[in-house]
Amino acid sequence: MSSRRELANAIRALSMDAVQKAKSGHPGAPMGMADIAEVLWNDHLKHNPANPNWSDRDRFVLSNGHGSMLIYSLLHLSGYDLPMDELKTFRQLHSKCAGHPEYSYAPGIETTTGPLGQGITNGVGFAMAEKLLAAEFNRPGHDIVDHNTYVFLGDGCLMEGISHEACSLAGTWGLGNLIAFWDDNNISIDGHIDGWYTDDTVRRFESYGWHVISVDGHDADAINAAIVLAKAVTDKPSMICCKTIIGFGSPNKSGSHDCHGAALGDEEVALTRKQLGWTAAPFEIPADVYAGWDAKTAGADKESAWDVKFAAYAKEFPELAAEFKRRMAKELPANWKEATDKIIAETNEAAASVASRKASQNIIAALAPVLPEFLGGSADLTGSNLTSCADFKHVSGKENGNYISYGVREFGMYAIMNGMALHGGLLPFGGTFHMFSDYAKSAFRMAALMKIRTIAVLTHDSIGQGEDGPTHQPIENTSAMRFIPNMDVWRPADSVEVAVAWTAAVERLDGPSSLVLSRQGIPGRKHDVADFAAMRKGAYVLLEAKGDVQVILIATGSEVDLAAKAQEALASDGINARVVSMPSTNVFDRQDQAYKDSILIPGVKRVAVEAGVTDFWRKYVGLEGGVVGIDTFGESAPGGVLMEHFGFTVDNVVKTVKEVL
């Protein structure tokens, strides 16, 4: 029987061997946190290596993702489908063991981590999702949702501002199912952190309302006792402050930034093996160590016990059980198409002239009864984003619901939403002013990178929002969002396009969507039914030219009406213009060439009209085309005044078309 230290040393050996072979990586954190990981994974973590997607598993997040060999070692040793050959290709092309943990690359990786602070924030989202689902589905004697989220994090995560956003909110929410382990080793890349990080972390987290424990991170008994105590505290998240030595076991580099982000070197690896008493060859694990780590049998037993519980639950509450299974499988409700077809048709019939943010609220209200997994929210702008509706109940620290006031935490909100989406069972959306999408850009990027479904509601989308002035008027933001790979950005032109955009965003399972919406009113329009399907393709012919097409006007959002009016003015001058509404450039770009050519006829001159930066539109209009846009910051004045001041007028569109022709 291997000792705890021998089991932990297996992590240290694999970590330094893989980093050494790759000549790249971060061995220090895995070697320093190995003892903590051994206790957590062998004595507390509820998981089944044979089924990494078991819904009631505990979630484990390595927020300090640079220490990725820690999680790869844990997955391999405990029995996940991550063979040694993958560890040997650490950081190499197409390896499941990428430089930082990548969601969906290797089984058992719950979220992509690397940008520091986002992992702990995802962890808050995981824990919040568990709490909300438990409140919704559990019944007396039937706790089918009953698991914890464990997060490893380092000094860098705590320095990042997003950790404040998320951890203070976790305390307010009383997430007793969230247990974090701080790798308190006093080292970051630049060296000893005393010159740039002297926070009193214990008091900081106590002020958030967390339960805080401090232990020796190399004392297995103390670590175990701390976890037992943390699990017993069910009304507060717990922070276990673990004093560790980075690169533990390395005689010349431990306790130093020398082992933070670089291989130890062959000579130091040999000395470390000797120091640890580890005699196995590189990438070899003794049979008794494997036996000490193997979690396959225990994991299968835990899941089987849960299956028995769920069967009893399903017998007593068949409708709840079916709903739980549907949502965890990310299946849409059975009546989804019928319901959304009706919503779109009714929206079209009403043809309401309202701001697209208000149209969005109308659609949210219509979808809420159809989608019980809907979880809305806003970063302290509910009344401006119009993201709530009568069917929502607000979440607080003591009461559960399906609408969250996140406070002024744009970045934190969207990274928490990422964790909720990854957990499963919920469909999170959150609103802020479009201008503040800049604060959240990294969270959007991570959602797109992981191909997960979240929905951003971004209102006050242009200079048309008016008097708040240039600090609140997006110019480059819409184009910047469109440049995120795998992000679908919708800027709808009327209520029907809003309804179609919402429907498409909900149905999309392989990535996030952003709805860019106006503050100012937009004229309503009644569409032909055929337009509904065409809108889903990202662009369609809204108004056909009266004769042979001489120019194509491409517009989005509130500027579509401007393009429509310009078409009339051009016609009076004998110029035949086609008006194309392009609510989603990203979606349009994915269509086949035949469809794209049918909308944007090759060889026909084009003019784009959008209250944003002009360079983006060159891919559609070419150098010979024209763009009516804005390449400066805005001003403070009523929106209509600004639109005219910056050239969003019929006369300017007509002038631009004539210059192009």
Side-chain angles (χ1 to χ4, degrees):
M1 175 72 72
S2 298
S3 67
R4 282 195 179 278
R5 180 54 57 81
E6 287 173 320
L7 297 178
N9 284 345
I11 296 173
R12 296 184 171 106
L14 287 174
S15 297
M16 62 182 180
D17 287 345
V19 172
Q20 189 61 34
K21 187 174 188 296
K23 299 292 191 291
S24 172
H26 298 74
M31 296 171 74
M33 297 193 81
D35 295 306
I36 310 164
E38 187 278 321
V39 174
L40 174 63
W41 277 61
N42 280 326
D43 289 10
H44 297 278
L45 194 70
K46 182 173 67 172
H47 64 124
N48 181 8
N51 183 11
N53 297 317
W54 169 33
S55 64
D56 202 41
R57 69 192 181 279
D58 289 336
R59 271 61 169 180
F60 175 78
V61 177
L62 185 70
S63 189
N64 46 343
H66 52 272
S68 55
M69 270 310 303
L70 175 62
I71 194 168
Y72 300 143
S73 299
L74 290 164
L75 294 171
H76 171 76
L77 291 166
S78 60
Y80 285 78
D81 184 17
L82 191 65
M84 187 68 82
D85 284 346
E86 291 290 345
L87 275 65
K88 291 179 180 178
T89 61
F90 174 60
R91 286 188 164 227
Q92 306 308 301
L93 185 63
H94 303 314
S95 174
K96 293 181 179 179
C97 299
H100 291 79
E102 298 283 353
Y103 176 68
S104 81
Y105 276 38
I109 296 175
E110 301 285 2
T111 180
T112 297
T113 54
L116 295 177
Q118 289 201 59
I120 178 61
T121 308
N122 295 163
V124 172
F126 279 118
M128 190 62 182
E130 192 274 347
K131 181 178 181 179
L132 293 173
L133 291 169
E136 182 176 358
F137 286 101
N138 287 352
R139 293 295 182 269
H142 296 279
D143 292 335
I144 61 160
V145 182
D146 184 21
H147 52 268
N148 292 316
T149 296
Y150 298 100
V151 181
F152 281 11
L153 71 161
D155 295 307
C157 293
L158 297 179
M159 288 185 234
E160 289 286 0
I162 192 174
S163 70
H164 167 81
E165 295 184 32
C167 293
S168 67
L169 197 54
T172 298
W173 285 338
L175 298 180
N177 55 352
L178 174 63
I179 300 174
F181 299 79
W182 169 34
D183 183 23
D184 179 14
N185 60 32
N186 206 48
I187 295 291
S188 66
I189 289 177
D190 279 359
H192 289 269
I193 63 174
D194 298 338
W196 52 87
Y197 185 66
T198 57
D199 296 19
D200 187 332
T201 300
V202 170
R203 289 187 179 181
R204 171 186 167 186
F205 276 81
E206 286 176 344
S207 75
Y208 292 156
W210 286 52
H211 167 239
V212 184
I213 317 167
S214 297
V215 299
D216 178 347
H218 301 295
D219 183 336
D221 291 337
I223 296 164
N224 183 65
I227 298 173
V228 170
L229 183 57
K231 289 165 69 174
V233 177
T234 58
D235 61 344
K236 295 180 179 181
S238 290
M239 172 63 79
I240 302 177
C241 305
C242 304
K243 196 64 183 174
T244 62
I245 300 171
I246 191 170
F248 182 94
S250 171
N252 297 304
K253 296 187 177 183
S254 64
S256 161
H257 70 284
D258 290 340
C259 65
H260 184 289
L264 295 179
D266 291 332
E267 183 177 344
E268 188 67 14
V269 167
L271 291 172
T272 304
R273 296 179 113 78
K274 184 176 181 181
Q275 179 88 1
L276 296 174
W278 188 263
T279 58
F283 296 107
E284 289 187 7
I285 302 295
D288 61 329
V289 174
Y290 267 133
W293 273 107
D294 193 346
K296 293 191 293 292
T297 300
D301 289 345
K302 289 173 184 175
E303 184 173 359
S304 293
W306 182 84
D307 287 341
V308 171
K309 286 173 60 177
F310 190 81
Y313 174 79
K315 185 175 181 180
E316 190 168 348
F317 306 101
E319 292 183 2
L320 279 175
E323 175 67 7
F324 179 79
K325 290 173 70 175
R326 175 190 74 79
R327 285 166 57 174
M328 294 307 293
K330 298 180 182 178
E331 296 173 356
L332 290 168
N335 66 335
W336 171 253
K337 188 177 188 309
E338 177 186 359
T340 52
D341 284 351
K342 181 181 179 184
I343 290 168
I344 294 170
E346 290 177 348
T347 301
N348 189 50
E349 190 63 30
S353 295
V354 295
S356 55
R357 62 170 177 159
K358 178 58 181 175
S360 170
Q361 184 181 45
N362 294 341
I363 300 305
I364 290 170
L367 290 177
V370 184
L371 284 171
E373 57 263 53
F374 240 11
L375 179 63
S378 173
D380 202 46
L381 290 168
T382 294
S384 296
N385 300 146
L386 303 183
T387 38
S388 190
C389 68
D391 279 359
F392 286 147
K393 178 183 176 184
H394 283 243
V395 175
S396 69
K398 296 182 179 178
E399 294 195 18
N400 296 298
N402 53 2
Y403 189 87
I404 297 173
S405 290
Y406 286 92
V408 187
R409 298 179 174 95
E410 295 89 357
F411 190 9
M413 171 175 68
Y414 289 113
I416 288 170
M417 285 167 49
N418 288 349
M420 293 171 170
L422 287 161
H423 180 282
L426 298 171
L427 198 175
F429 69 88
T432 188
F433 285 166
H434 189 21
M435 190 64 249
F436 305 135
S437 60
D438 278 346
Y439 284 166
K441 191 67 61 61
S442 186
F444 292 143
R445 186 178 189 275
M446 296 303 288
L449 179 63
M450 291 188 280
K451 301 179 180 179
I452 57 176
R453 179 177 57 170
T454 60
I455 301 173
V457 178
L458 305 172
T459 69
H460 298 59
D461 67 349
S462 72
I463 56 171
Q465 81 97 356
E467 291 87 345
D468 279 336
T471 62
H472 282 54
Q473 293 166 2
I475 302 298
E476 77 286 7
N477 302 68
T478 303
S479 292
M481 292 291 290
R482 290 169 176 149
F483 280 128
I484 300 174
N486 199 43
M487 168 67 78
D488 280 359
V489 179
W490 294 86
R491 188 169 185 250
D494 57 40
S495 297
V496 178
E497 287 191 10
V498 170
V500 169
W502 262 110
T503 303
V506 171
E507 291 178 3
R508 187 178 189 222
L509 298 179
D510 61 352
S513 300
S514 297
L515 277 59
V516 177
L517 307 171
S518 73
R519 176 198 185 192
Q520 72 273 25
I522 297 177
R525 185 181 297 276
K526 196 167 184 179
H527 291 265
D528 293 335
V529 174
D531 285 350
F532 303 163
M535 290 175 190
R536 291 291 298 265
K537 296 183 177 182
Y540 65 104
V541 177
L542 175 68
L543 298 171
E544 188 54 278
K546 299 299 187 286
D548 292 339
V549 182
Q550 296 169 271
V551 66
I552 299 172
L553 300 177
I554 311 167
T556 77
S558 53
E559 290 76 73
V560 169
D561 183 61
L562 174 59
K565 291 175 179 176
Q567 183 198 44
E568 296 178 13
L570 288 164
S572 67
D573 287 343
I575 299 172
N576 297 324
R578 167 186 283 188
V579 177
V580 169
S581 178
M582 190 177 285
S584 179
T585 63
N586 311 88
V587 174
F588 179 69
D589 288 347
R590 294 201 296 269
Q591 304 307 311
D592 61 55
Q593 194 60 47
Y595 181 78
K596 288 190 280 191
D597 288 346
S598 74
I599 304 300
L600 303 180
I601 305 169
V604 176
K605 296 290 182 66
R606 305 164 190 174
V607 172
V609 186
E610 183 177 65
V613 291
T614 60
D615 277 355
F616 173 83
W617 288 99
R618 289 296 164 192
K619 65 186 287 191
Y620 300 103
V621 305
L623 295 176
E624 72 283 1
V627 183
V628 177
I630 177 170
D631 290 314
T632 67
F633 294 115
E635 297 285 352
S636 181
V641 173
L642 291 177
M643 283 295 193
E644 184 173 355
H645 173 75
F646 285 103
F648 293 94
T649 64
V650 170
D651 287 347
N652 192 37
V653 175
V654 170
K655 175 176 174 286
T656 304
V657 168
K658 290 180 177 179
E659 289 173 350
V660 166
L661 293 178

